[in-house]
Amino acid sequence: MPAKILVRYAEIALKGKNRGLFEQQLQNNIKEALAGFQADVKKIQGRFLVSGPEEERDKILGRLSKVFGVASVSAVEETGLDMEDIKELALKMAGRVSGDQEEFRVETRRPNKHFPYPSPEVCRLVGAYLQEHIPHLKVNLEQPDFTIFIEISHQKVFLYLDRLEGPGGLPVGITGKALLLLSGGIDSPVSGWLGMKRGLTIEALHFHSYPFTSRRSQEKAVDICRKLASAGGRITLHMINMASIQKALRAQCPEDLAIILLRRMMLRLAEKLSAERGLQALLTGESLGQVASQTLESIMVTQQATGMLILRPLLGMDKKEIVNKAAEIETYDISIRPYEDCCTLFLPRNPVTRPKLEAVENQEKKLDLAGLLAETLETLETTQVEG
Ligand code: ATP
Ligand code: MG
């Protein structure tokens, strides 16, 4: 018997035409997430039903619980629309778990309003039947040891004992494409995850400074992308070497403006790459007030290097919330591996916290911007990272 898994998604926000798009994209993404399994994905009313090999059930459940757009998943057993069959199946399932667990309840959902028994009646009948056949069972509606959930749909009835929460949000691919500026720090992976949760397809761009920075910073970017891809299929990762730009900045510009000048170069490169790849926005891990480069003035002067829309999903989060999220999505342990970021290279002792656009632009006039950007773009390397 194949394992069956019921996949729920939040329907409340879905109206009209969007609903069909959402469901189609989610179905595709689920199929992609399960590409390594012999699994089948079927649309049933307001849900998906996945069937796959019993011995891979837990792995499939784990994968599904990471797919954006999925509200929750349950391993289910199914039977026909018949009260006697429901009782029998409930008894079989209760028999398996009731060993030392005595207190239970039954919860019923009935989207199929043609089913002859209303939900409370189903609960009552099934509960009584279980107690009749397993005499040590007691009903406890508040804090049961286990719950038999019954869902009566139009063609089938599903029974299950557990529910695993998914991330919710929107299916990746439904709202557009963005370029994640991925540093290898704690923040930017979380920003990418939140962007994906709002339905964005993500490509990532990591700036390094090899040989001034070690290959390890690049490995971190790959490992982080692998984690992000486990929720969204696959991620295209771009790497660009900033060494020439950093050398030019150090030779020709004052130290206290180095970070902001570097950031503006990053944005220009990101803009060029986005144009080539058809990416519509940038995503960063910027927050407000964390460091000198994240004052309102710094963010403003940095952003004025590009006309592109920059999304900053972390703006409203404090560091603790970001760290907790990073731990939850399993990027934290990768991010805290020691390494040199290209931004900490030649780090000024006293970066300017309230830079003036004019002063920054005056410095840039001294540089061969077009030449530096073209030379740097030639270092672009692109790989596909699988989840
Ligand atoms: P993170 O934890 O993401 O490194 P941070 O708190 O260290 O962020 P900054 O160093 O000010 O903050 O960087 C702000 C944002 O700029 C990062 O979140 C990231 O989006 C982008 N960024 C910084 N360095 C790099 C890099 N080497 N490659 C790509 N993007 C970068
Ligand atoms: Mg950083």
Side-chain angles (χ1 to χ4, degrees), residues 40 106-108 179 228 234 313 344 376:
D40 175 63
V106 181
E107 231 184 89
T108 304
L179 183 62
L228 292 179
R234 165 184 320 147
T344 54
T376 299

Side-chain angles (χ1 to χ4, degrees), residues 183 185 339 341:
S183 67
Y339 82 115
D341 179 16

Side-chain angles (χ1 to χ4, degrees), residues 180-189 205-208 263 266 283-286 290-291 293-294 319 339 341-343:
L180 169 66
L181 302 190
L182 180 67
S183 67
I186 294 168
D187 301 343
S188 35
L205 170 56
H206 176 69
F207 297 105
H208 62 91
R263 283 288 155 74
M266 286 181 175
L283 263 176
T284 75
E286 284 166 313
Q290 274 192 19
V291 284
S293 57
Q294 293 179 10
K319 195 71 190 184
Y339 82 115
D341 179 16
C342 72
C343 291

